Every structure is written in structure tokens, then in C-alpha cells.
Amino acid sequence: MASTADIKNGVVLSIDGQLWNVIEFQHVKPGKGGAFVRTKLKNVVSGKVVDRTYNAGAKIEIENVDRRDFTYLYTDGDGFVFMDVEDYDQITVSAATVGDAKNFMLENQQVQIALNNSNPLYIELPASVVLEVTYTEPGLQGDRSSAGTKPATLETGYEIQVPLFLETGTKVKVDTRTGGYLGRIND
């Protein structure tokens, strides 16, 4: 068991049988009364964010979470197969665990997987990825970059909003956290 002095950003706590990631924390020492620790926690599985306060020195349970680099290989039925870049072991991760990351993953892409007792918890992608637009309606004469957006399908099958001047075959940079268009990539 650890105490509240061990709380840091990124630490995973076990609370009531669930795993919670510490997003931010603050040690507070008021003029009156005892010190306490205010935390903002994110559920590893569901993504729910809650605020929780602990008295200073309270006992907490810290879970060991190992973040390792993997390469995405392919999709196998309802699972995604990844290879550990260090020992070349392959693991299959369920679609529920992969979540929205599947919209931005191409074969042979590097990702980080957080493991707890060899169980995959979640997948961390780079902040942005470069993907090719496989289909979008052609732009019309007079379209300008500042004038609105249109839907475009990416090579992963995910659909985003892009400026009107983009065409099929253009490579674009996409934010993996929001799914938003960040810019065009010129080859």
C-alpha cells in the first residue's frame, strides 16, 4: 500500500476494483484543519472522469502499469493483433479495448499499449497521424480554403470534415484525440 504522497500524474490507482488514471493532482494545506490531496481521475476502461479528495497520509493502492511499444499488424475477426517491438511476441487486443484508435491505425503503425498484469488496458496513439483521403466529392470552381468543409473518407474508413479544396488522394494530418483535420501534407 502507498500513501497520498505517492500520487503523481499518470499513476494508476485501484479503487473499488476499478483502475483509475491520475490526470492531475494538488496537495492542499489550508490554514485550518488537516492537509488533503485533490485529484482528477479518469477511468481506464470507460474514460469517465471524476474528482476525488483524499486526506493527507491516507492509504491508496497503486497498480503497476507497463507502457510498451507495439506494432499494429492486422485485424483478426473481432480482435486486433499487435507485435511487441522488443521481443516480437504477438498479442490480440479486443475491439472494445482498442476503441476509437481503430479509426487512425494502419498496418505496421507504432503504438503504445498500457498493460496491467499482461492485460491490455488501452492504446495510446501519437498526437497526430498522416492518412490518405480515399474518397471525397470533387471541389467546385470558386471553392476557397476559408469557405466551409465537406466530408472525406480516409484510408482507414473513418470519415472527417476537410476543406472544400481537398481532393481524393491527398494526404492529410489528423488529430487522433479529436478526429479533426489538422492540415494537408505535401509530398
mmCIF file of all heavy atoms in Angstrom, residues 1-2 20 58 99 105 112 141:
data_model
loop_
_atom_site.group_PDB
_atom_site.id
_atom_site.type_symbol
_atom_site.label_atom_id
_atom_site.label_comp_id
_atom_site.label_asym_id
_atom_site.label_seq_id
_atom_site.Cartn_x
_atom_site.Cartn_y
_atom_site.Cartn_z
ATOM 1 N N MET A 1 0.836 -1.185 0.000
ATOM 2 C CA MET A 1 0.000 0.000 0.000
ATOM 3 C C MET A 1 0.882 1.249 0.000
ATOM 4 O O MET A 1 1.927 1.283 0.631
ATOM 5 C CB MET A 1 -0.888 0.026 1.244
ATOM 6 C CG MET A 1 -1.957 -1.040 1.255
ATOM 7 S SD MET A 1 -3.195 -0.788 0.006
ATOM 8 C CE MET A 1 -4.421 0.093 0.903
ATOM 9 N N ALA A 2 0.431 2.253 -0.686
ATOM 10 C CA ALA A 2 1.140 3.521 -0.758
ATOM 11 C C ALA A 2 0.295 4.575 -0.058
ATOM 12 O O ALA A 2 -0.834 4.318 0.345
ATOM 13 C CB ALA A 2 1.377 3.894 -2.210
ATOM 14 N N TRP A 20 -8.067 3.566 -12.188
ATOM 15 C CA TRP A 20 -8.248 4.987 -12.457
ATOM 16 C C TRP A 20 -6.884 5.623 -12.692
ATOM 17 O O TRP A 20 -5.973 5.458 -11.889
ATOM 18 C CB TRP A 20 -8.941 5.676 -11.293
ATOM 19 C CG TRP A 20 -10.326 5.171 -11.052
ATOM 20 C CD1 TRP A 20 -10.680 4.057 -10.350
ATOM 21 C CD2 TRP A 20 -11.542 5.739 -11.522
ATOM 22 N NE1 TRP A 20 -12.045 3.900 -10.357
ATOM 23 C CE2 TRP A 20 -12.597 4.922 -11.071
ATOM 24 C CE3 TRP A 20 -11.852 6.866 -12.280
ATOM 25 C CZ2 TRP A 20 -13.928 5.191 -11.348
ATOM 26 C CZ3 TRP A 20 -13.173 7.134 -12.556
ATOM 27 C CH2 TRP A 20 -14.198 6.309 -12.104
ATOM 28 N N ALA A 58 -3.484 9.271 3.717
ATOM 29 C CA ALA A 58 -4.407 8.149 3.538
ATOM 30 C C ALA A 58 -3.741 7.072 2.687
ATOM 31 O O ALA A 58 -2.913 7.362 1.824
ATOM 32 C CB ALA A 58 -5.695 8.634 2.877
ATOM 33 N N GLY A 99 -10.997 0.582 -29.051
ATOM 34 C CA GLY A 99 -11.896 1.740 -29.089
ATOM 35 C C GLY A 99 -11.755 2.561 -30.361
ATOM 36 O O GLY A 99 -11.630 2.027 -31.462
ATOM 37 N N MET A 105 -5.492 3.804 -37.146
ATOM 38 C CA MET A 105 -4.390 2.840 -37.219
ATOM 39 C C MET A 105 -4.288 2.204 -38.594
ATOM 40 O O MET A 105 -5.269 1.713 -39.132
ATOM 41 C CB MET A 105 -4.578 1.724 -36.180
ATOM 42 C CG MET A 105 -4.362 2.162 -34.772
ATOM 43 S SD MET A 105 -4.330 0.808 -33.570
ATOM 44 C CE MET A 105 -5.572 -0.304 -34.127
ATOM 45 N N GLN A 112 1.538 2.628 -28.484
ATOM 46 C CA GLN A 112 1.903 2.242 -27.129
ATOM 47 C C GLN A 112 0.690 1.597 -26.489
ATOM 48 O O GLN A 112 -0.423 2.122 -26.591
ATOM 49 C CB GLN A 112 2.324 3.465 -26.318
ATOM 50 C CG GLN A 112 3.736 3.418 -25.888
ATOM 51 C CD GLN A 112 4.084 4.527 -24.903
ATOM 52 O OE1 GLN A 112 3.230 5.187 -24.336
ATOM 53 N NE2 GLN A 112 5.364 4.708 -24.709
ATOM 54 N N GLN A 141 -15.660 24.966 -58.707
ATOM 55 C CA GLN A 141 -14.953 26.180 -59.096
ATOM 56 C C GLN A 141 -15.337 27.294 -58.132
ATOM 57 O O GLN A 141 -16.502 27.498 -57.834
ATOM 58 C CB GLN A 141 -15.334 26.572 -60.533
ATOM 59 C CG GLN A 141 -14.612 27.793 -61.043
ATOM 60 C CD GLN A 141 -13.121 27.535 -61.209
ATOM 61 O OE1 GLN A 141 -12.705 26.430 -61.478
ATOM 62 N NE2 GLN A 141 -12.318 28.556 -61.019
#
